[in-house]
Amino acid sequence: MQTRLNTWYENRRRPYAGFILIFVVLKVSLNLLAISRFGFQRDELLHLALADHMGWGYKDVPPFIALLAKISTVVFGNSIFAARIFPTICSGFIIWLTGLITVEFGGKKFAIALACLALIFSPAFAASGYLFEPVVFDQLWWVLAVWLLIKYINTSSAKYLYILGAVVGIGLLTKYTMAFFTGALIIALIISKQRKLLLSWHIIIAASIALLIFLPNLIWQFQYHLPVITHMKTLQQQQLQLIKPSDFILQQLVDNGVALFAWLTGFMFLLFSPGLQRFRFLAFAFILIFAFYVVMNGKNYYLFGAYPMLFAAGGYGIESWLKTRAYALQAVVIALFTLPNLLIFPIALPVLPLDQTIAFFKARQKQFPFFNFVAVWDDQKIHPITQNYGDMLGWDELTAKVAKVWQSLTPDQQKHTQLYADNYGEAGAINHFGKQYNLPAVICLNSNFALWAPDNLDGQYIIYVDEQGGKNVEKLQLNLESYRKTDSVENPLSVEKGTAIFLLVHPKPALNEQYQKALAVQRSK
């Protein structure tokens, strides 16, 4: 009997792989269209810098992104295209798994098409799925973990639990949010009818695999006095405390645009549908992780990895509602859940050149004044583009102007010159683009750059990048023989506009003492 059931199960699911691949190709194609637009984003430059300092951990991220950065630069090179190859492949896999989960729920072609297209054109996943950041890889491990759990429930094959253990371990090496999602899944299983899954000795083996994979980073954390705790406290004090629970909830309702109705339908079906009762624990897990981030003032994208399973359930649910093969009606339903998002798609994914993107923003702001909020930056002013796009501009200009100062020095002066930048974006840009100018290593005490900062800032000349346009250097002038401004970032669309470059001449010992104190504080965190 069990053999017959397994045969029926496999036959029911086999024909859809080719169909799902259509949507994977669409997603990858859209990413490829945007892959080289504008420039490196601030955080991408930080993560690429990690490739030059490989280790089992960093101040604010686990080591997986550094490994990918190393592979990417060695295999593909240093271009924007090269850096975004892995995120593009990863985005394709997320669509693939969403389609597979839909099939596991019992969905057919319409359900697959609806789930995959809603996800592809969701502003949240368009914006987070092409940059070289841990976010998209974190999403992949969440979705893969869900698929493996569902596969185990549908087949009782222990291999899926063992692979799940490996996925959780790699997920923890990618982003620590995997721990929260794993905890939510465990609690959800306990309070559901699937709790017997946790009593299997296979789950103990899976947990051991996860711990073994994560162990090197765990050891590193203790060796460096648990910087993840310090990072989370700093994040809570400087950023997360500014996020109100109501803001987080509202963001979850708008981030996916009109696809909101797809995932909400999926959530309700997981919670109440008899056809999905075996997977009700997934709805419980979503409630738990959602509530956790509300309480912890989480950033909106922290929850994105939980949505593909809801899109899949939504596709299944709407298909079961329609109960029709009327292709015209199906096309209308899919259009309702996807096409409205095209009105804002270039704001999430840079599929248009910069000039056309600016024109697109301007037109949308004129047509829909309430839409201005997407172009409000941290300075609370409305700009021509989003802050995320603004963080992709001006880095090559900054580095070229730093290089110009460096090249103006004599060879003897260069031997006694150091480069210093205020923030990790500036340091990442100089680290990345500076190689073509043969610039020395940049010094920075912001983020992970503090891990490999030298013990002393004792050059006779310092090329200083002041993120405050000169306000910071004014505080240092008593510890300098002299200084002069050489240039500044002029790109009007760049977040770094106004960032100034100074040449500090013959710093006094007091400046190095000030630097050493700041470095000690960073190393103690």
Side-chain angles (χ1 to χ4, degrees):
M1 179 66 176
Q2 184 63 42
T3 301
R4 279 164 42 194
L5 285 174
N6 287 342
T7 301
W8 169 83
Y9 168 81
E10 293 299 332
N11 288 338
R12 184 165 69 97
R13 285 156 173 74
R14 190 177 300 135
Y16 297 112
F19 186 67
I20 297 172
L21 190 61
I22 295 172
F23 304 102
V24 174
V25 171
L26 175 60
K27 175 62 178 177
V28 170
S29 298
L30 288 171
N31 269 35
L32 289 175
L33 188 61
I35 198 169
S36 297
R37 300 289 189 205
F38 306 170
F40 287 103
Q41 204 264 3
R42 179 187 301 273
D43 291 347
E44 289 182 298
L45 292 166
L46 169 64
H47 300 135
L48 289 169
L50 301 182
D52 297 328
H53 304 274
M54 297 295 292
W56 278 111
Y58 302 93
K59 290 173 72 70
D60 53 8
V61 291
F64 183 78
I65 192 70
L67 176 62
L68 285 186
K70 190 69 173 181
I71 295 172
S72 177
T73 53
V74 170
V75 176
F76 304 120
N78 294 310
S79 68
I80 302 173
F81 184 93
R84 294 175 179 171
I85 289 175
F86 280 131
T88 295
I89 294 172
C90 184
S91 293
F93 273 115
I94 290 173
I95 299 300
W96 175 258
L97 289 167
T98 301
L100 293 181
I101 293 172
T102 307
V103 174
E104 292 299 319
F105 285 155
K108 298 179 176 60
K109 284 188 174 181
F110 170 73
I112 295 168
L114 179 57
C116 291
L117 287 173
L119 189 61
I120 288 170
F121 292 108
S122 160
F125 286 89
S128 63
Y130 74 102
L131 296 178
F132 186 73
E133 298 179 356
V135 175
V136 65
F137 304 107
D138 183 49
Q139 292 172 8
L140 174 63
W141 305 134
W142 283 36
V143 181
L144 183 54
V146 168
W147 178 74
L148 289 166
L149 264 179
I150 293 172
K151 287 291 289 186
Y152 175 75
I153 290 170
N154 279 340
T155 66
S156 298
S157 176
K159 68 180 181 181
Y160 293 111
L161 287 184
Y162 301 155
I163 299 172
L164 174 63
V167 167
V168 170
I170 297 172
L172 289 169
L173 292 180
T174 303
K175 200 168 170 59
Y176 297 120
T177 50
M178 173 56 84
F180 305 137
F181 186 55
T182 302
L185 285 172
I186 292 172
I187 296 172
L189 286 166
I190 291 173
I191 62 179
S192 74
K193 293 182 179 180
Q194 296 292 347
R195 65 181 65 90
K196 62 181 181 296
L197 185 155
L198 297 173
L199 302 177
S200 168
W201 60 272
H202 297 300
I203 204 72
I204 298 176
I205 296 176
S208 300
I209 293 172
L211 180 59
L212 185 63
I213 293 174
F214 179 58
L215 188 59
N217 180 249
L218 188 62
I219 294 172
W220 182 92
Q221 284 287 336
F222 280 101
Q223 288 177 333
Y224 284 81
H225 313 293
L226 295 172
V228 64
I229 303 298
T230 302
H231 173 66
M232 291 177 66
K233 288 181 178 179
T234 303
L235 194 64
Q236 187 70 37
Q237 294 169 357
Q238 297 181 358
Q239 297 183 34
L240 300 186
Q241 68 171 356
L242 303 177
I243 303 174
K244 300 176 183 177
S246 58
D247 293 337
F248 179 82
I249 295 172
L250 179 61
Q251 288 168 345
Q252 301 310 311
L253 294 176
V254 303
D255 281 343
N256 289 297
V258 72
L260 159 73
F261 301 105
W263 74 256
L264 271 181
T265 300
F267 173 70
M268 299 304 292
F269 262 80
L270 281 172
L271 204 55
F272 299 114
S273 172
L276 295 180
Q277 62 180 346
R278 286 179 301 169
F279 312 112
R280 191 158 294 155
F281 71 93
L282 294 175
F284 296 160
F286 180 78
I287 294 171
L288 289 168
I289 195 69
F290 189 101
F292 175 78
Y293 285 136
V294 168
V295 173
M296 296 298 294
N297 304 109
K299 294 183 179 181
N300 62 328
Y301 63 84
Y302 288 179
L303 193 62
F304 286 178
Y307 283 113
M309 65 183 184
L310 302 186
F311 281 116
Y316 163 83
I318 295 172
E319 183 179 65
S320 65
W321 270 343
L322 292 180
K323 295 181 180 178
T324 178
R325 292 188 178 181
Y327 295 130
L329 178 59
Q330 291 179 350
V332 168
V333 172
I334 290 175
L336 288 174
F337 283 95
T338 57
L339 291 184
N341 279 341
L342 291 179
L343 296 174
I344 57 174
F345 197 67
I347 294 172
L349 186 69
V351 292
L352 301 175
L354 182 56
D355 290 343
Q356 293 181 28
T357 299
I358 295 171
F360 183 89
F361 269 78
K362 188 174 181 179
R364 290 293 170 269
Q365 290 170 333
K366 185 176 181 180
Q367 294 170 346
F368 310 106
F370 68 87
F371 197 68
N372 286 336
F373 77 93
V374 301
V376 175
W377 293 7
D378 288 341
D379 60 8
Q380 300 305 307
K381 296 179 181 178
I382 299 174
H383 293 261
I385 54 177
T386 64
Q387 182 162 330
N388 189 53
Y389 287 174
D391 266 330
M392 298 181 193
L393 303 170
W395 302 118
D396 48 352
E397 176 193 350
L398 170 68
T399 309
K401 290 180 175 179
V402 168
K404 186 177 180 181
V405 182
W406 168 260
Q407 292 164 354
S408 70
L409 301 173
T410 66
D412 184 63
Q413 289 174 327
Q414 289 178 350
K415 292 178 182 179
H416 302 283
T417 300
Q418 294 174 303
L419 274 57
Y420 188 94
D422 275 340
N423 67 56
Y424 69 79
E426 298 157 356
I430 295 170
N431 177 79
H432 186 81
F433 295 108
K435 295 170 184 176
Q436 62 185 295
Y437 301 104
N438 295 316
L439 294 179
V442 62
I443 301 170
C444 180
L445 298 186
N446 183 226
S447 188
N448 294 302
F449 281 91
L451 291 174
W452 51 81
D455 293 334
N456 294 288
L457 187 68
D458 54 2
Q460 291 301 302
Y461 303 90
I462 298 174
I463 301 174
Y464 173 47
V465 180
D466 185 344
E467 64 182 353
Q468 294 296 322
K471 294 181 180 178
N472 288 336
V473 77
E474 289 176 358
K475 302 173 185 176
L476 307 176
Q477 59 182 326
L478 294 178
N479 296 324
L480 305 169
E481 180 180 293
S482 65
Y483 70 93
R484 63 182 175 87
K485 181 177 179 180
T486 63
D487 217 325
S488 63
V489 176
E490 297 176 354
N491 190 322
L493 298 173
S494 172
V495 173
E496 290 288 323
K497 182 182 182 298
T499 293
I501 302 160
F502 291 86
L503 178 62
L504 314 186
V505 179
H506 297 157
K508 300 176 182 178
L511 182 66
N512 187 42
E513 293 173 5
Q514 185 177 341
Y515 167 81
Q516 290 177 326
K517 290 179 181 178
L519 179 61
V521 170
Q522 291 297 321
R523 286 179 173 174
S524 67
K525 292 182 178 180

